[in-house]
């Protein structure tokens, strides 16, 4: 598969993450890009700016409405793969069906239990059509299981692996849109606090992890990611694992989020807009440096018959870049055919780990691995 002949649709290609993905693909691949969304003028303007920046004609802007399957099919048909980089998980049935109809592969970056349920129901059709569907791309989900796989590669037996993250974004400088905040708040509705211990997935779970300077020790909450479910099956000696996420700031962590969890249970249809307003205010008012995003694994097991340990971390000063970069590292493997095969996969459990990490390093991620 030659990536200079490939076409990639980026749904939401003029949004924050979508544009970062597009710019990285312009820099690190020779694929043709179709930036698609409901604002056709903005899509075309963004594509023109990319062509000017990289002195080529490899990007174009097209109209597509995630709620209108006919517009999706029209845009998807000339493409090899569609990257869903917009906050459109509620339209997963339309987008996935359009991809199958158009004969297009698929990659998404949303955290959504609804999305996963839809894709799992479509899995027989995906296989029958011979399409490659990659879900849970990006940072979290997307990187936690990668670090566990990397730890397992360094040990003869993997017995425990905890992955944690800290996300500190300069929200005032970013000036997020209402849609961005609502997407963030919407993830709370899907939040499932669970970790694996003694052969079972258990509810709840808190863990203190030392992320080193400048973040230090943080108290993190267990967060279930689909990519983690496969790990106890793949590594039979694994007794403990989980992903643990740090918070935003004191006000959001201890006021907005607990209140939101209660509100979503009591008023599931009406809570989102006003929780979004509180979240927006709390992020702008109380976010303070140091800024940056890091994900870290702490693992133990056996090597050469002796107890052994492995730690590793991936860091970028920009949390949105740390979402976009793994997507592009995954796409580079897709474009050359390394991981393009029929089925439904989580990004973290499909990619070739060593190459994936090195490609992220080349795109600006700081990689620290200790214990090989």
């Amino acid at each position: 598969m030659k990536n200079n002949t490939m076409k990639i649709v980026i749904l939401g290609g003029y949004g924050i993450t979508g544009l970062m993905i597009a710019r990285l693909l312009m820099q690190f691949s020779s694929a043709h890009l179709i930036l698609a969304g409901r604002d056709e003028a903005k899509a075309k303007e963004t594509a023109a700016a990319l062509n000017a920046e990289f002195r080529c004609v490899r990007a174009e802007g097209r109209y597509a409405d995630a709620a209108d399957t006919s517009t999706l099919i029209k845009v998807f048909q000339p493409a090899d793969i569609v990257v869903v980089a917009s906050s459109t998980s509620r339209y997963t049935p339309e987008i996935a069906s359009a991809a199958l109809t158009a004969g297009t592969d698929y990659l998404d970056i949303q955290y959504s239990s609804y999305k996963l349920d839809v894709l799992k129901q479509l899995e027989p059709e995906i296989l029958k059509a011979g399409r490659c569907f990659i879900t849970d791309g990006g940072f979290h989900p997307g990187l936690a299981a990668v670090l566990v796989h990397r730890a397992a590669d360094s040990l003869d037996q993997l017995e425990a692996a905890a992955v944690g993250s800290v996300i500190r974004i300069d929200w005032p400088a970013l000036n997020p849109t209402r849609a961005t905040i609502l997407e963030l708040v919407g993830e709370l509705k899907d939040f499932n606090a669970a970790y694996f211990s003694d052969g079972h997935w258990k509810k709840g779970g808190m863990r203190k992890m030392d992320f080193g300077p400048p973040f230090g020790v943080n108290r993190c909450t267990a967060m279930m990611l689909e990519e983690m479910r496969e790990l106890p099956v793949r590594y039979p000696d694994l007794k403990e694992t989980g992903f643990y996420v740090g918070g935003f700031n004191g006000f959001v962590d201890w006021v907005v989020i607990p209140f939101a969890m209660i509100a979503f249970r009591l008023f599931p249809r009406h809570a989102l807009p006003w929780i979004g307003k509180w979240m927006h205010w709390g992020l702008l008012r109380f976010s303070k440096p140091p800024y940056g995003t890091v994900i870290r694994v702490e693992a133990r097991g056996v090597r050469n018959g002796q107890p052994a340990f492995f730690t590793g971390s991936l860091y970028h000063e920009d949390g949105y870049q740390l979402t976009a970069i793994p997507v592009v590292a995954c796409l580079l493997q897709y474009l050359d055919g390394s991981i393009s095969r029929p089925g439904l996969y989580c990004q973290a459990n499909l990619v070739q780990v060593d190459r994936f990490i090195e490609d992220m390093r080349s795109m600006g991620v700081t990689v620290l691995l200790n214990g090989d």
Side-chain angles (χ1 to χ4, degrees):
M1 195 178 290
K2 303 291 186 180
N3 80 46
N4 60 351
T5 67
M6 304 290 280
K7 288 188 176 181
I8 302 173
V9 171
I10 305 177
L11 200 59
Y14 48 77
I16 295 174
T17 306
L19 179 55
M20 289 181 177
I21 292 170
R23 182 168 279 114
L24 287 166
L25 284 168
M26 294 288 280
Q27 183 177 356
F28 290 96
S29 83
S30 53
H32 185 92
L33 308 183
I34 302 172
L35 312 185
R38 286 180 296 179
D39 190 336
E40 184 176 9
K42 191 169 185 179
K44 289 183 175 180
E45 179 185 344
T46 304
L50 287 172
N51 287 330
E53 178 180 350
F54 291 93
R55 299 181 180 181
C56 64
V57 185
R58 287 172 39 217
E60 62 177 292
R62 299 279 297 276
Y63 172 81
D65 183 349
D68 186 344
T69 304
S70 63
T71 67
L72 296 174
I73 293 173
K74 186 176 180 180
V75 172
F76 292 176
Q77 276 180 334
D80 296 280
I81 188 169
V82 55
V83 177
V84 186
S86 56
S87 54
T88 52
S89 59
R90 66 186 182 278
Y91 298 121
T92 299
E94 290 83 357
I95 297 170
S97 296
L100 289 171
T101 300
T104 305
D105 293 332
Y106 167 103
L107 188 157
D108 70 61
I109 65 170
Q110 291 100 4
Y111 173 72
S112 166
S113 58
Y114 171 70
K115 173 206 69 178
L116 289 171
D117 289 342
V118 170
L119 294 178
K120 288 177 182 178
Q121 291 173 13
L122 288 173
E123 190 168 7
E125 294 182 45
I126 294 169
L127 284 166
K128 184 178 180 181
R131 301 266 54 96
C132 178
F133 271 46
I134 306 170
T135 191
D136 284 3
F139 158 50
H140 78 86
L143 289 182
V146 167
L147 286 174
V148 177
H149 295 318
R150 183 61 183 82
D153 288 343
S154 76
L155 300 166
D156 299 327
Q157 293 178 330
L158 178 65
E159 297 176 343
V163 184
S165 75
V166 170
I167 306 167
R168 297 285 187 268
I169 294 174
D170 187 354
W171 292 103
L174 184 63
N175 192 23
T177 64
R178 180 176 180 271
T180 298
I181 295 298
L182 290 179
E183 179 184 2
L184 188 65
V185 174
E187 291 184 0
L188 298 176
K189 297 174 69 175
D190 283 325
F191 195 93
N192 177 13
Y195 65 102
F196 184 81
S197 179
D198 298 324
H200 302 283
W201 288 100
K202 301 179 181 180
K203 289 289 185 182
M206 300 285 290
R207 187 183 187 95
K208 285 186 177 180
M209 296 189 71
D210 187 351
F211 295 92
F215 304 111
V217 176
N218 280 252
R219 188 173 177 85
C220 303
T221 303
M223 177 181 182
M224 184 63 192
L225 302 179
E226 185 68 19
E227 67 202 56
M228 303 296 282
R229 292 187 189 276
E230 183 179 322
L231 300 179
V233 177
R234 186 178 292 197
Y235 306 113
D237 297 307
L238 188 62
K239 300 178 180 65
E240 299 176 16
T241 194
F243 174 68
Y244 300 83
V245 62
F248 296 94
N249 61 58
F251 178 78
V252 171
D253 295 348
W254 301 109
V255 178
V256 177
I257 292 178
F259 192 69
M261 303 299 283
I262 296 171
F264 281 134
R265 286 197 295 268
L266 297 176
F267 313 104
R269 296 185 179 181
H270 306 290
L272 185 61
W274 47 276
I275 292 298
K277 290 180 181 179
W278 276 61
M279 175 71 84
H280 187 263
W281 183 79
L283 291 175
L284 295 183
R285 176 66 178 83
F286 295 101
S287 294
K288 300 185 185 325
Y291 298 120
T293 299
V294 63
I295 183 167
R296 172 181 170 85
V297 64
E298 298 175 352
R300 60 177 170 80
V302 177
R303 186 189 300 114
N304 300 324
Q306 299 295 321
F309 299 88
F310 178 90
T311 61
S313 65
L314 306 171
Y315 167 84
H316 199 285
E317 62 184 5
D318 186 329
Y320 280 93
Q321 283 284 1
L322 196 55
T323 297
I325 288 171
V327 172
V328 175
C330 177
L331 284 169
L332 292 180
Q333 296 188 27
Y334 169 86
L335 288 170
D336 68 14
S338 300
I339 59 172
S340 178
R341 53 181 180 267
L344 173 63
Y345 307 94
C346 288
Q347 170 192 279
N349 296 325
L350 177 64
V351 295
Q352 298 171 356
V353 171
D354 285 341
R355 176 186 167 187
F356 182 74
I357 291 174
E358 287 308 308
D359 283 345
M360 286 194 295
R361 190 199 301 268
S362 71
M363 292 183 230
V365 174
T366 299
V367 179
L368 296 175
L369 303 174
N370 300 290
D372 284 326

